[in-house]
Amino acid sequence: MTLSSHFLNGMLRFIRKRHGKDVAAQALANARIPQSLLDQPDARMTREQYVALYKTVAAKIDDEMLGLWSRPIRTGTLKYLMLSLLDAPTVLVAFNRFVRFWNLLLDDYRLQLSTTHDRVRLALVERTPGTRVTPLGHELMMKLAHGIASWLLGREITLHSVEFSFARPRHVDDYAFLFPGAVRFSAATTCIAFLYADCAEPFRREKHELWAFLKRAPGDWTFSASHRGSTVAKTREYLERHLAQPVTIQELAQALHVSVRTLNRRFADEGTHFQLVKDGLRRDIAVHRLANSNTSVAVLAFDLGFADATGFCRAFKHWTGSSPSDYRKGTRQVET
């Protein structure tokens, strides 16, 4: 998968303000991200670029939350948070410790945990009314809770719902992968909800597993979920196996053993539709191959099922705001 340039700009905002444009530009270069992507609202970056940029910015400013909260979250915070969770008997107990830990650190918000007979809800509540909302900060905190719980259990924990206190963003399509569940915007409070049965489940994790998790951070908690059970994931998997073929939704429904009506309803439940998933897969593959191979545009167009290079170039510019050749050129300039 690839990610919207929303995350790119969000991660650079503080380092640019504190250290200037030159230091921000160097962070981009270290992550092999073209400078031109900053000015393209529909540009995409790869998962590897995201992880590299996060690591670079966090190390430079000594803040594992990238300057998104009023108090810096110093390097090593995630390590000691995770150490405090390892011997918890269940995910619910781990969540209680997660809440107490963060409430010692955050000045502008506090975490609030509540349970019912079938739900566990983790909310991010402002300490002072009117506190400025930083969308990436809210996204990362909810993703951290989901990612850590999934890692502790060794599987993707079911996400019942997630709500954000900011308006529906331009990069909403990314939520199908980051938050595979019902997502709502413009809510009174940012919160995430899990099934109580999952949270009551015991887990067992060892320290040597934790060191690997921390070394790969933020990859394992941002992209912890494989989403194999989602309709989007099954669709992408099927389409990738038949990439050069013009697969229709009727063929997909038959392959997944459901009706077209049921398939469309499941897409709607996950906040997307068939053509959007199809375009997203081709866009992600194109971005990866343009950045990491010398495959010609014409061959790439054919591999992705386009009739000709012109159609592919037109589609790629629509997806990302950049032509394939310009995107590749920007990546190569970063490498040199």
Side-chain angles (χ1 to χ4, degrees):
M1 65 170 290
T2 63
L3 290 168
S4 164
S5 59
H6 153 80
F7 299 97
L8 174 66
N9 283 286
M11 286 193 285
L12 289 177
R13 186 170 292 116
F14 184 82
I15 194 172
R16 195 187 290 146
K17 179 180 178 181
R18 178 66 62 87
H19 298 280
K21 292 182 179 179
D22 290 344
V23 175
Q26 186 57 52
L28 281 176
N30 291 345
R32 295 180 59 230
I33 299 175
Q35 181 82 23
S36 59
L37 264 61
L38 289 174
D39 302 319
Q40 300 170 18
D42 294 318
R44 311 293 298 181
M45 61 176 170
T46 65
R47 168 177 171 162
E48 294 75 21
Q49 288 172 326
Y50 170 91
V51 171
L53 184 61
Y54 174 97
K55 288 178 179 291
T56 299
V57 173
K60 179 63 182 178
I61 66 175
D62 189 21
D63 187 340
E64 292 185 337
M65 276 289 175
L66 311 179
L68 297 167
W69 305 103
S70 57
R71 178 189 294 188
I73 307 301
R74 301 297 185 194
T75 301
T77 299
L78 179 60
K79 172 184 173 181
Y80 287 101
L81 166 63
M82 295 304 298
L83 283 170
S84 75
L85 306 182
L86 280 185
D87 65 345
T90 66
V91 173
L92 183 56
V93 173
F95 271 145
N96 270 286
R97 295 180 184 180
F98 182 92
V99 166
R100 291 201 300 271
F101 188 96
W102 279 108
N103 285 347
L104 293 173
L105 298 177
L106 297 180
D107 289 336
D108 30 11
Y109 285 87
R110 62 184 176 85
L111 287 173
Q112 185 180 77
L113 189 69
S114 58
T115 62
T116 64
H117 70 285
D118 63 344
R119 298 283 186 271
V120 173
R121 179 179 181 267
L122 185 66
L124 191 60
V125 181
E126 58 186 16
R127 293 183 185 272
T128 304
T131 299
R132 184 174 67 90
V133 174
T134 304
L136 182 57
H138 286 223
E139 290 167 335
L140 286 181
M141 186 60 75
M142 296 299 102
K143 190 62 251 183
L144 183 64
H146 181 227
I148 286 178
S150 296
W151 181 80
L152 289 173
L153 284 178
R155 62 174 175 82
E156 180 187 330
I157 188 171
T158 302
L159 177 56
H160 177 263
S161 62
V162 61
E163 299 181 0
F164 290 101
S165 59
F166 51 84
R168 180 185 176 92
R170 186 185 184 98
H171 63 284
V172 67
D173 295 345
D174 289 356
Y175 283 76
F177 296 96
L178 298 174
F179 301 101
V183 181
R184 189 167 73 90
F185 299 97
S186 300
T189 304
T190 291
C191 61
I192 191 167
F194 305 97
L195 299 180
Y196 186 91
D198 285 338
C199 295
E201 190 173 324
F203 64 85
R204 183 175 180 81
R205 282 290 195 179
E206 303 294 340
K207 279 188 179 180
H208 70 87
E209 296 174 292
L210 174 58
W211 307 143
F213 173 81
L214 294 171
K215 185 176 181 179
R216 292 189 296 266
D220 281 4
W221 57 264
T222 304
F223 307 105
S224 61
S226 60
H227 313 310
R228 289 193 180 94
S230 72
T231 301
V232 169
K234 292 176 181 177
T235 298
R236 284 174 66 103
E237 184 180 351
Y238 181 82
L239 291 175
E240 194 163 5
R241 294 199 307 267
H242 303 83
L243 199 57
Q245 302 170 18
V247 176
T248 65
I249 192 170
Q250 288 79 12
E251 292 169 333
L252 175 65
Q254 186 175 9
L256 297 182
H257 307 293
V258 297
S259 68
V260 172
R261 183 177 180 180
T262 297
L263 185 57
N264 278 324
R265 187 182 70 249
R266 290 179 181 175
F267 279 136
D269 289 343
E270 294 179 21
T272 188
H273 56 79
F274 175 65
Q275 191 61 47
L276 200 60
V277 176
K278 188 174 182 179
D279 287 345
L281 173 65
R282 295 194 291 181
R283 176 203 63 209
D284 290 352
I285 292 173
V287 166
H288 276 281
R289 291 180 65 178
L290 288 168
N292 300 299
S293 78
N294 293 317
T295 304
S296 71
V297 172
V299 170
L300 183 53
F302 177 79
D303 290 346
L304 292 175
F306 286 88
D308 53 47
T310 301
F312 167 62
C313 290
R314 188 183 305 115
F316 190 83
K317 189 159 190 176
H318 172 72
W319 296 333
T320 67
S322 172
S323 69
S325 57
D326 286 345
Y327 183 88
R328 171 171 276 163
K329 186 187 300 182
T331 304
R332 296 297 188 266
Q333 287 172 348
V334 168
E335 290 176 350
T336 57

